[in-house]
Amino acid sequence: MQLLMVSLKPLAAFGVSSSDRSKWKRKTIVTFALTILTSSQAILIVWSKRAGKYEYSVTTANFMVETLKCALSLAALARIWKTEGVTEDNRLSTTLNEVIVYPIPAFLYLIKNLLQYYIFAYVNAPGYQILKNLNIISTGVLYRIILKRELSEIQWAAFVLLCAGCTTAQLNSNSDRVLETPVQGWIMAIVMALLSGFAGVYTEAIMKKRPSRNINVQNFWLYIFGMIFNAIAIVIQDFDAVVNKGFFHGYSLITTLMILNHALSGIAVSMVMKYADNIVKVYSTSVAMLLTAIVSVFLFRFHLSLAFFLGSIVVSVSVYLHSIGKPRR
C-alpha cells in the first residue's frame, strides 16, 4: 500500500489524473496514426497511375472510400451496442436539425478530394507537399473566425515558421525556381487549401457542439452524405465509363491500398477533431511531408539536402512554439 501511494505521488504532484492520461494517450495515438497514414497518401496516389494517367475512375474510388468509412463506423457502433447497449448518444436515429449540417462539409470534402487527384497533372509529389501546406494559413484564419478561438502572437508566428520550414525542406538546389508548377496547379492548390480549411474547422464545430454524441454516429451521417454526393459525381462525370467498362475497371492492388489508406485517414481525422483540434490535424499533415521525404530516400533515392535538414529543424521549433503559445485565459 505504501509503495502504491508513493508511486502515485509524482502524478498527483503534477495534477495528472487517470482520465487526463487516458485522453492524452488517445490523442497521441490518433495523431500518430494520422501522420503515418497521411505520409503515404501522395505516394499511393502517384503509384496508382499508369503511364501518367488514372486507369480507374477517381469518382468511384472516392465513393468506395466513403463507403468503407461508413462501414467502419457501423462496425464500431455495433461493438459499442453489444457491450454498452443503445443509448441516446450512440443511437443512429437523429433529428433534422442535427443532420442538416452534414451536407455542407460532405460537399466541400467531395470537391477537395477530387482535386487531390487532378492536381498531380500539374504538380509532382514534392511540389504537392509544398502547396499542401497552404491550408495551414486558411485553417488558422478560419479557426479564429468560425470557432472564435484566440490565437496568440506566438501561435501565428508558429504558422509562419511551419510554412517556411516545410517549404525550405523541399527546396531544390538544382533548379532556379522553387516550384515547377503552372498557374493551374497554384489555383487548384489554393482552392484545396480553402476547402480543406473550411470543411475541417466546420466539421470540428459540428462534432464539438454535442461532445457527448458518439463520434461514430457523427461520422456515419457525414459519410452517408459523402456517399450521396460521390454517387452524383459518378453519374455526372463517369456514368458511361462505369456502365460500359464496369465500376471497378482499372483497379489494382495499389488502388485498393490507396482507398484503404484514405478511409482510415478519414477516420483518424475525425477522431483528432473530436478529441484534439483541427490544428493538430494540420501539423500531422506537415510532419507527414517530412516522413514522406524520408521514405522517398529508400523508395525513390531522394537526396536529403541541407535545406531539408534545416527545414526539419524549423518545423520542430514551430510545433514547440505552438504547444507553449496558447493564449492564457
Side-chain angles (χ1 to χ4, degrees):
M1 176 64 86
Q2 289 181 347
L3 180 60
L4 177 60
M5 292 180 65
V6 170
S7 64
L8 291 176
K9 282 182 179 180
L11 293 177
F14 286 103
V16 179
S17 65
S18 58
S19 176
D20 291 335
R21 292 198 305 272
S22 177
K23 290 180 181 179
W24 180 85
K25 181 179 179 180
R26 181 168 52 190
K27 178 179 177 179
T28 301
I29 291 174
V30 297
T31 305
F32 177 78
L34 177 62
T35 302
I36 298 300
L37 290 169
T38 305
S39 65
S40 58
Q41 279 186 5
I43 294 175
L44 289 174
I45 291 177
V46 174
W47 269 359
S48 68
K49 283 186 173 185
R50 292 293 181 271
K53 296 181 179 180
Y54 301 109
E55 293 185 354
Y56 57 91
S57 165
V58 296
T59 54
T60 62
N62 269 343
F63 180 84
M64 290 305 302
V65 170
E66 297 300 315
T67 303
L68 182 55
K69 289 191 291 188
C70 190
L72 291 173
S73 297
L74 280 177
L77 278 174
R79 189 174 66 174
I80 292 173
W81 292 335
K82 184 177 180 180
T83 57
E84 303 177 8
V86 179
T87 65
E88 186 67 24
D89 289 327
N90 66 27
R91 64 187 355 170
L92 283 179
S93 58
T94 183
T95 63
L96 180 61
N97 289 334
E98 181 182 4
V99 79
I100 199 65
V101 297
Y102 289 106
I104 296 176
F107 179 75
L108 295 176
Y109 280 127
L110 165 69
I111 304 301
K112 181 259 181 183
N113 290 335
L114 289 177
L115 288 176
Q116 185 175 232
Y117 292 94
Y118 298 133
I119 195 172
F120 283 102
Y122 306 100
V123 184
N124 56 25
Y128 171 75
Q129 294 291 9
I130 293 176
L131 295 176
K132 195 175 181 180
N133 288 283
L134 291 173
N135 71 345
I136 296 173
I137 300 174
S138 63
T139 299
V141 174
L142 292 170
Y143 199 84
R144 176 70 181 91
I145 296 174
I146 297 178
L147 295 185
K148 306 298 182 183
R149 303 281 182 84
E150 295 215 4
L151 295 172
S152 68
E153 293 181 359
I154 294 179
Q155 287 181 307
W156 284 111
F159 283 138
V160 176
L161 280 178
L162 182 58
C163 291
C166 292
T167 303
T168 302
Q170 294 291 349
L171 287 176
N172 184 2
S173 59
N174 297 323
S175 174
D176 294 333
R177 293 181 295 178
V178 176
L179 290 173
E180 296 291 338
T181 304
V183 175
Q184 299 95 317
W186 280 98
I187 294 176
M188 292 176 69
I190 293 172
V191 172
M192 284 180 62
L194 293 173
L195 291 172
S196 179
F198 186 81
V201 176
Y202 189 87
T203 303
E204 180 181 339
I206 293 173
M207 291 187 169
K208 290 187 174 179
K209 185 177 181 181
R210 185 179 172 183
S212 62
R213 190 66 155 144
N214 188 279
I215 186 175
N216 295 293
V217 176
Q218 295 172 314
N219 283 340
F220 173 82
W221 287 110
L222 178 62
Y223 301 149
I224 284 293
F225 284 104
M227 292 172 61
I228 293 173
F229 286 130
N230 277 282
I232 295 174
I234 293 174
V235 173
I236 295 175
Q237 181 172 321
D238 296 315
F239 181 77
D240 291 338
V242 170
V243 170
N244 296 327
K245 298 180 180 180
F247 192 90
F248 297 104
H249 173 75
Y251 278 50
S252 63
L253 176 61
I254 299 300
T255 309
T256 304
L257 291 176
M258 181 195 68
I259 291 173
L260 180 61
N261 174 282
H262 278 69
L264 293 177
S265 297
I267 297 293
V269 166
S270 64
M271 294 186 71
V272 168
M273 291 179 181
K274 181 76 172 184
Y275 301 116
D277 56 48
N278 195 52
I279 294 180
V280 170
K281 185 196 76 171
V282 172
Y283 275 107
S284 296
T285 302
S286 300
V287 175
M289 184 196 72
L290 304 179
L291 291 179
T292 301
I294 294 174
V295 173
S296 298
V297 172
F298 303 97
L299 295 181
F300 309 118
R301 297 181 180 178
F302 177 76
H303 175 64
L304 288 177
S305 63
L306 177 61
F308 176 84
F309 176 73
L310 294 177
S312 301
I313 295 177
V314 174
V315 168
S316 300
V317 171
S318 70
V319 173
Y320 173 74
L321 288 177
H322 176 265
S323 65
I324 66 171
K326 295 182 179 179
R328 296 183 179 180
R329 298 185 181 275

